[in-house]
Amino acid sequence: MINRATPEVGYQPPENTIALGFHAYTENDGLVFLSGVAPFHGPEATIVGEGDLKAQTSYVLEIIEKLLIEAGSSPSHILDWIVYLKDFDGTGEVASKFIEIAPQLTAFTGGEYPCATAVGVPCLFTKEQYIEIQVTARKAA
């Protein structure tokens, strides 16, 4: 059975995501798929950690953990994630930005390293946004 949900976890209210045509996560057959989680908070989608990649990453990871728990999973059950990083200096290089946040990502999964892809993009949903993370996880047993 497919379950789609946007629980209230202090991120985006359900009416925001539904108005844009998606849910925070979908689960099916023991898998959990999180929509891209961005550093936004509240009904006005206020940016969290403006100008600070590490602060934005911390907030995004906090929301990912809350959503995973709501879906019956956890950070140690992440199978794969895609980390979208804004190329905010226009060099076309995001490896240094990924390396900057790698310790946060590593600590978050508790040593259970998932597959990962880092993608550099010229822009994300708003110009102040530096990161967005999309997750696929397994439900906890």
Side-chain angles (χ1 to χ4, degrees):
M1 182 172 114
I2 297 173
N3 178 35
R4 296 175 176 89
T6 301
E8 182 54 61
V9 295
Y11 177 46
Q12 290 293 301
E15 57 271 15
N16 279 23
T17 59
I18 291 168
L20 293 171
F22 68 93
H23 279 287
Y25 70 82
T26 298
E27 59 176 297
N28 186 40
D29 199 25
L31 294 176
V32 179
F33 304 90
L34 268 59
S35 293
V37 177
F40 300 135
H41 176 74
E44 301 301 320
T46 305
I47 195 80
V48 174
E50 186 171 349
D52 185 337
L53 176 60
K54 286 184 178 181
Q56 289 189 14
T57 301
S58 291
Y59 177 76
V60 166
L61 293 175
E62 175 186 323
I63 298 303
I64 287 171
E65 182 171 27
K66 289 177 180 181
L67 290 170
L68 287 172
I69 289 168
E70 285 285 331
S73 187
S74 73
S76 67
H77 288 83
I78 295 173
L79 301 172
D80 180 52
W81 52 12
I82 302 171
V83 180
Y84 297 93
L85 294 164
K86 181 178 179 181
D87 175 19
F88 52 84
D89 55 13
T91 65
E93 185 274 329
V94 294
S96 63
K97 293 162 188 68
F98 187 82
I99 290 167
E100 180 181 339
I101 63 168
Q104 290 172 275
L105 301 174
T106 300
F108 182 72
T109 59
E112 298 297 328
Y113 307 128
C115 294
T117 302
V119 180
V121 295
C123 65
L124 288 158
F125 198 72
T126 70
K127 65 181 180 175
E128 298 86 6
Q129 180 184 352
Y130 291 171
I131 188 167
E132 187 162 326
I133 301 177
Q134 182 180 356
V135 173
T136 302
R138 170 71 72 199
K139 288 185 68 114

